[in-house]
Amino acid sequence: MTTRQLWMATALALMIAGASGSATAADMSVQIRNAQLRATPSYLGKITGSAPYAQRVEVLQTQGDWLEVRSAAATGWLHKSALTTKKIVIKAGASDVGATASGEELALAGKGFNSDIEADFKNKNAEVSFAPIDRMEKITVSPSEARAFLDQGGVKPVAGGAR
Amino acid sequence: MNRSRKLAPLLNTASYVSLGGASDTSPILTALRRSALSYTQWTLALCIVLTAALLQTGCSTVAQIGQAAGVVTPQQAESMVKTGQSVGKAFEKITPEQEYYVGRAVGATLLSTHKVYANDAATRYVNLVGQTLAMASDKPETFGGYHFLIFEDDDVNAFAAPGGLIFLSRGMLRLCKNEDDLAAVLAHEVAHVNLGHAIGAIKGSRWTAAATVVGTEGLKNVGGEQLAQATTAFEGSISDITGTLVNSGYARGQERDADTLAVTILKRVGYNPAALARVLGNMAHDIKPGGAGFAKTHPPPDARIADLNKLNTAGQAGTPPPARQQRFNAAMAGV
């Protein structure tokens, strides 16, 4: 291969790679355990469905911090913090989301940490109990409970509104 | 002539460019060595990888070109794609899922020396207030959500583990005279989560260790040794964070940023944004410089109040209704 051919190949690669970047920008992945889609861009909106971790969704429109997306099961709004432009690959047969792994996911094992590493950590640190953390995670407050709580206490923003 | 040897310096340059000085464990280098390509293929592969390194994105497309041109096999192309993504991702910000696992271990470690306060009514109340703040924060969605827990200590203290696990002491609760005070304390902790301060406390050397762990391309067969190395990096990260939360504290600027965001969150929800300065005033009165807990890990309350006074903390409309104070009193009765 001559130097000229090398440069041409590089230029071609640059052009095509650049073009492909924008073509897939409308697709995003759910990066939280279970995202609830809402009828309006707010936590007050009615739940229209849910999308699990790693599911790809198509972005239809954006409004402030909220994106309207179409998932496999439903269409609705998600807060931007629930989404990433990265593709998340779940290993076939993984029993829980923490066991997700692919060639690239595992690259993050060293800094990142999944359920396998938590299990290894538990084995090596028997004095550290995760039971209180498991119980703590079971304490949940739904957006509607939070709203009712604010109303009952007369908590409302002076101007604008809670997002 | 041994062309591979002639190319070696170039390949080392490639690994330098992409890995910032990583040595023979460079995934790109390893992948290329394993590929056993001809000189032409080596050259094109090098060109492709360098291009991909420059772009950071679009690596799969570049590899596809190589594949379409018939100079690399589908397997080789796939290997390059995977390797390229690994290198790019290893240095990216931690994902919410990983933050979740770090947060769980940090929380479990903190609770190994702090007993949980068993008071369901108070815990539920703190979670209700906290959740309204989290929902209105800059990062309402985390992998496992926000959860709040009270621990037994009489010292004034609070911790926010990555991902949204927030802990506060009974001593801290006693400092709060009303729901707005409690909201101010919780908003400050939610702000630390939003701003990723705990994750930021992980030492750079852990990332280097992580990069070494992922340095080989045999990642599809993660064995005991790699898991052990990853767990060591995990343990180190947990200890970096707990050390910061319990002993050294955050930088003054980080506390200021968390206070500033807390005021914003309080305003969004409708709690009194001046409550934060008020609670800090209570702290200045109650805690001693050089004392344990919060006093040790936070800037002097007076300094934080001075910073808060530069912000606009007006915004409370009238007096809170009696119902708000009544439910606060009821929930905090035993605290």
Side-chain angles (χ1 to χ4, degrees), chain A residues 1-2 5-18 20-21 30-36 38 43-44 53-54 65-66 78-84 86-89 96-100 102-122 124-125 127-163, chain B residues 39-40 43-44 47-48 51 54-55 57-59 61-62 65 71 82 85-87 89-109 111-112 116 123-125 127-129 131-132 135-149 164-167 179 202 206-207 209-210 213-214 219-222 224 227-235 237-238 267-271 315-317 320-321 323-324 327:
Chain A
M1 182 183 268
T2 66
Q5 282 173 311
L6 191 67
W7 279 114
M8 282 175 69
T10 309
L12 183 68
L14 272 165
M15 275 162 50
I16 298 177
S20 77
V30 173
Q31 63 170 353
I32 61 170
R33 183 148 46 194
N34 189 35
Q36 291 185 320
R38 296 186 177 273
Y43 285 108
L44 304 182
Y53 182 60
D65 291 336
W66 291 78
L78 287 177
H79 190 273
K80 66 177 182 185
S81 54
L83 294 165
T84 175
K86 285 182 225 153
K87 195 167 181 179
I88 302 169
V89 184
D96 79 50
V97 289
T100 62
S102 67
E104 59 167 340
E105 276 286 297
L106 283 173
L108 294 160
K111 76 168 182 178
F113 322 136
N114 50 34
S115 59
D116 290 345
I117 290 167
E118 182 179 293
D120 203 34
F121 176 86
K122 283 174 178 169
K124 290 176 180 155
N125 299 273
E127 75 285 1
V128 177
S129 168
F130 280 68
I133 300 297
D134 293 337
R135 282 197 294 274
M136 180 182 184
E137 286 185 15
K138 290 202 176 76
I139 307 168
T140 55
V141 176
S142 72
S144 57
E145 286 173 315
R147 173 53 52 190
F149 179 79
L150 291 176
D151 289 346
Q152 198 260 338
V155 185
K156 46 182 174 287
V158 171
R163 304 194 304 173
Chain B
Y39 175 58
T40 307
T43 313
L44 186 58
C47 144
I48 287 166
T51 308
L54 282 169
L55 286 172
T57 57
C59 190
T61 313
V62 184
I65 299 165
V71 288
K82 281 191 176 168
Q85 285 173 348
S86 302
V87 173
K89 255 188 120 174
F91 291 90
E92 278 176 22
K93 218 177 146 201
I94 194 160
T95 69
E97 186 191 6
Q98 294 154 356
E99 195 173 342
Y100 168 76
Y101 282 103
V102 172
R104 278 173 57 82
V106 166
T109 305
L111 290 180
S112 63
V116 176
T123 304
R124 178 75 191 162
Y125 178 72
N127 273 274
L128 280 161
V129 177
Q131 203 61 45
T132 65
M135 272 168 56
S137 73
D138 284 356
K139 199 174 157 190
E141 303 281 5
T142 64
F143 186 82
Y146 289 80
H147 306 276
F148 303 81
L149 200 69
L165 299 180
I166 291 170
F167 306 86
E179 188 171 304
I202 299 174
R206 312 288 177 208
W207 310 129
V213 172
V214 305
L219 288 167
K220 15 181 126 89
N221 307 310
V222 148
L227 182 63
Q229 283 181 51
T231 305
T232 302
F234 185 66
E235 286 170 333
S237 304
I238 304 313
K267 283 183 185 175
R268 282 178 191 157
V269 179
Y271 283 115
Q316 174 79 340
R324 199 187 303 176
R327 70 186 183 187

